[in-house]
Amino acid sequence: IVGNLFTSGSNHSQRLSAGICIFNRGTIYQCVSKLQVGNIGFFGGIACENLGNIISCTNYTNTSYSSVGGICCRGFSCHIVDCKNYGNFKIHGEETGGICGRVCHVAYNNTDVNIIGCTNYGEISSGQSYGEFSSNVGGIIGHCDIDAQTTTAKCKIKNCQNFGTVQADSSIYVGGIVGGEIMGPVSIENCANYGDVTGMYNVGGIAGEYFGNDPLWVIEDEGYTYPTGRIINCYNFGYIQGESAVGGIAGSFASYCGDTLAHCLNIGKVEGSAICSGNYDYEGWDLGDSIYYDSNYYDAQMLVDTSANEEGMYEWRFTSQLTGDTPELRA
């Protein structure tokens, strides 16, 4: 679809707009969006709100409005597979992602959310005036929220790559793959970020903020086994910078019931911690060891602040050990 998409009137902030359809409950396959858009609010390159399947679709539309996703603005209990975004976005609100602005579940709908094999090439930049700020900005997903109290559904973000720059100077929860407020059983697997990422705080090469399940749920529902999530087999090459809570893999990682951060590698320059800046759990509330770490590596020569080495929580290597065909890199 090629052409112009404009709406009239002044109350554009609540308008839902998209290249193919507003609400998708079926399957959209091999569609391409290349539009000129204006005076809109929530925008998805293919669908605005997706409750079905979007497969092998591509967006080239550039835009700069409240909440934007290259493929869909919001994904509810849906599947987005093998999609690409080349559109460039300017941030003017919350929940902006190269593929989807926000993914979440439909209450009491136990359908999993899957974002598989998607790639972003578009540039995300700040369009705010001085003093304004936004949140939840990601190269693939802006905001990911699965409420474990109302569903048994899980979210999997797998085999995704970001090549675009995420320049969100006035934003919190900013990530190369997922921005933040990642809540519930969310797994980020086999994902790679190659773009430079900039934000205010909670800024990460893969995830800005991983929150896991709400601690109040875990404590109030004594005896209930909450499903866990993880960041595993992920890689960052980009330059990650921000004011605080900045990490090569995650800006902050919180877990209250056993989430995992494992088998990740950062070789990008970081103005913060090599792997993860803030680690939060509630061991003091007798929940046991709430975060599982295993085999996370970083290039010690790429840290801006060498004091940010994580006291043995992660393992460092020299640049020469992490380039070429070396045993360390293969491991």
Side-chain angles (χ1 to χ4, degrees), residues 179-212:
E181 294 190 276
I182 302 169
M183 298 185 65
V186 178
S187 294
I188 305 173
E189 306 175 13
N190 309 344
C191 292
N193 173 60
Y194 300 92
D196 295 342
V197 179
T198 305
M200 289 179 63
Y201 55 90
N202 282 300
V203 183
I206 299 297
E209 183 209 44
Y210 189 104
F211 191 77

Coordinates of all heavy atoms in Angstrom, one line a residue, residues 179-212:
G179 N 12.3 -2.0 25.2 CA 12.5 -0.8 26.0 C 12.4 -1.1 27.5 O 13.4 -1.1 28.2
G180 N 11.2 -1.4 28.0 CA 11.1 -1.7 29.4 C 9.8 -1.9 30.0 O 8.8 -2.2 29.2
E181 N 9.7 -1.8 31.3 CA 8.6 -2.3 32.1 C 8.2 -3.7 31.6 O 7.0 -4.0 31.4 CB 7.5 -1.3 32.0 CG 7.8 0.1 32.7 CD 6.6 1.0 32.8 OE1 6.3 1.7 31.9 OE2 6.1 1.0 33.9
I182 N 9.2 -4.5 31.4 CA 9.0 -5.9 31.0 C 8.4 -6.7 32.2 O 9.2 -7.0 33.2 CB 10.2 -6.6 30.5 CG1 10.8 -5.7 29.3 CG2 10.0 -8.0 30.0 CD1 12.2 -6.1 28.9
M183 N 7.2 -7.0 32.2 CA 6.5 -7.6 33.4 C 6.0 -9.0 33.0 O 5.5 -9.2 31.9 CB 5.4 -6.7 33.9 CG 5.9 -5.3 34.4 SD 4.6 -4.3 35.1 CE 4.2 -5.3 36.6
G184 N 6.0 -9.9 34.0 CA 5.5 -11.2 33.8 C 6.5 -12.2 33.2 O 7.7 -11.9 33.1
P185 N 6.0 -13.3 32.8 CA 6.8 -14.4 32.2 C 7.2 -14.1 30.8 O 6.6 -14.5 29.8 CB 6.0 -15.6 32.3 CG 4.6 -15.1 32.2 CD 4.6 -13.8 32.9
V186 N 8.3 -13.2 30.6 CA 8.7 -12.8 29.3 C 10.1 -13.4 29.0 O 11.0 -13.2 29.9 CB 8.7 -11.3 29.2 CG1 9.3 -10.8 27.8 CG2 7.4 -10.7 29.5
S187 N 10.3 -14.0 27.9 CA 11.6 -14.6 27.5 C 12.1 -13.9 26.3 O 11.4 -13.8 25.3 CB 11.5 -16.1 27.2 OG 11.1 -16.8 28.4
I188 N 13.4 -13.4 26.4 CA 14.1 -12.8 25.3 C 15.2 -13.7 25.0 O 16.1 -13.8 25.8 CB 14.6 -11.3 25.7 CG1 13.4 -10.5 26.2 CG2 15.2 -10.7 24.5 CD1 13.8 -9.1 26.7
E189 N 15.1 -14.3 23.8 CA 16.1 -15.4 23.5 C 16.7 -15.1 22.1 O 16.1 -14.7 21.2 CB 15.4 -16.7 23.4 CG 14.6 -17.1 24.7 CD 13.8 -18.4 24.5 OE1 14.1 -19.1 23.5 OE2 12.9 -18.6 25.4
N190 N 18.0 -15.4 22.0 CA 18.8 -15.4 20.7 C 18.6 -14.1 20.0 O 18.4 -14.1 18.8 CB 18.3 -16.5 19.8 CG 18.3 -17.9 20.5 OD1 18.9 -18.1 21.6 ND2 17.6 -18.9 19.9
C191 N 18.6 -13.0 20.7 CA 18.4 -11.7 20.1 C 19.8 -10.9 20.1 O 20.6 -11.1 20.9 CB 17.4 -10.9 20.8 SG 15.7 -11.5 20.7
A192 N 19.9 -10.0 19.1 CA 21.2 -9.3 18.9 C 20.9 -7.8 18.6 O 20.0 -7.5 17.8 CB 22.0 -9.9 17.8
N193 N 21.6 -6.9 19.3 CA 21.5 -5.5 19.0 C 22.8 -5.0 18.4 O 23.9 -5.2 19.0 CB 21.2 -4.7 20.3 CG 21.3 -3.2 20.0 OD1 20.5 -2.7 19.2 ND2 22.2 -2.5 20.7
Y194 N 22.8 -4.3 17.3 CA 24.0 -3.7 16.6 C 23.9 -2.2 16.6 O 24.8 -1.6 16.2 CB 24.1 -4.3 15.2 CG 24.2 -5.8 15.1 CD1 23.1 -6.6 15.0 CD2 25.5 -6.4 15.2 CE1 23.2 -8.0 14.9 CE2 25.6 -7.7 15.2 CZ 24.5 -8.5 15.0 OH 24.6 -9.9 14.9
G195 N 22.8 -1.6 17.0 CA 22.6 -0.2 17.0 C 23.0 0.5 18.3 O 23.0 -0.1 19.3
D196 N 23.4 1.7 18.2 CA 23.7 2.5 19.4 C 22.4 2.9 20.1 O 21.5 3.3 19.4 CB 24.5 3.8 19.0 CG 25.9 3.5 18.4 OD1 26.4 2.3 18.6 OD2 26.5 4.3 17.7
V197 N 22.5 2.9 21.4 CA 21.3 3.1 22.2 C 21.6 4.2 23.2 O 22.5 4.1 24.0 CB 20.8 1.8 22.9 CG1 19.5 2.1 23.7 CG2 20.5 0.7 21.9
T198 N 20.7 5.2 23.3 CA 20.9 6.3 24.2 C 19.6 6.6 24.9 O 18.5 6.7 24.3 CB 21.4 7.6 23.5 OG1 22.6 7.3 22.8 CG2 21.6 8.7 24.5
G199 N 19.6 6.8 26.2 CA 18.4 7.2 27.0 C 18.8 7.9 28.2 O 20.0 8.2 28.4
M200 N 17.8 8.2 29.1 CA 18.1 8.8 30.4 C 18.5 7.8 31.4 O 19.7 7.7 31.9 CB 16.9 9.6 30.9 CG 16.6 10.8 30.1 SD 15.1 11.7 30.7 CE 15.6 12.2 32.3
Y201 N 17.6 6.9 31.8 CA 18.0 5.8 32.8 C 17.1 4.6 32.5 O 16.1 4.6 31.8 CB 17.9 6.3 34.2 CG 16.5 6.8 34.7 CD1 15.5 6.0 35.2 CD2 16.2 8.2 34.6 CE1 14.3 6.5 35.6 CE2 15.0 8.7 35.0 CZ 14.1 7.8 35.5 OH 12.9 8.3 35.9
N202 N 17.6 3.5 33.0 CA 17.2 2.1 32.6 C 17.4 2.0 31.1 O 16.4 1.9 30.3 CB 15.7 1.9 33.0 CG 15.6 1.6 34.5 OD1 16.2 0.6 35.0 ND2 14.9 2.4 35.2
V203 N 18.6 1.9 30.7 CA 19.0 1.8 29.3 C 19.9 0.6 29.1 O 20.9 0.4 29.8 CB 19.8 3.1 28.9 CG1 20.1 3.0 27.4 CG2 19.1 4.3 29.2
G204 N 19.5 -0.3 28.1 CA 20.3 -1.5 27.9 C 20.4 -1.9 26.5 O 19.5 -1.5 25.7
G205 N 21.5 -2.6 26.2 CA 21.6 -3.1 24.8 C 20.6 -4.0 24.3 O 20.2 -4.0 23.2
I206 N 20.0 -4.9 25.2 CA 18.9 -5.8 24.9 C 17.6 -5.3 25.6 O 16.6 -5.1 24.9 CB 19.3 -7.2 25.4 CG1 20.5 -7.7 24.7 CG2 18.1 -8.1 25.2 CD1 20.4 -7.8 23.2
A207 N 17.6 -5.0 26.9 CA 16.4 -4.6 27.6 C 16.7 -3.4 28.5 O 17.8 -3.4 29.2 CB 15.8 -5.7 28.4
G208 N 15.9 -2.4 28.5 CA 16.0 -1.3 29.4 C 15.8 -1.7 30.8 O 16.6 -1.5 31.7
E209 N 14.6 -2.2 31.1 CA 14.2 -2.7 32.4 C 13.4 -4.0 32.3 O 12.4 -4.0 31.7 CB 13.4 -1.6 33.1 CG 13.1 -2.0 34.6 CD 11.7 -1.5 35.1 OE1 10.7 -1.5 34.4 OE2 11.7 -1.0 36.2
Y210 N 14.0 -5.0 33.0 CA 13.3 -6.3 33.1 C 12.8 -6.3 34.5 O 13.5 -6.4 35.5 CB 14.2 -7.4 32.8 CG 13.5 -8.8 32.7 CD1 13.3 -9.4 31.5 CD2 13.1 -9.4 33.9 CE1 12.7 -10.6 31.4 CE2 12.4 -10.7 33.8 CZ 12.2 -11.2 32.5 OH 11.6 -12.4 32.4
F211 N 11.4 -6.4 34.7 CA 10.9 -6.3 36.0 C 10.4 -7.6 36.5 O 10.3 -7.9 37.7 CB 9.7 -5.3 36.0 CG 9.2 -4.9 37.4 CD1 9.9 -4.0 38.2 CD2 8.0 -5.5 37.9 CE1 9.4 -3.7 39.5 CE2 7.5 -5.2 39.1 CZ 8.2 -4.3 39.9
G212 N 10.1 -8.6 35.7 CA 9.6 -9.9 36.1 C 8.2 -9.8 36.7 O 7.4 -8.9 36.3

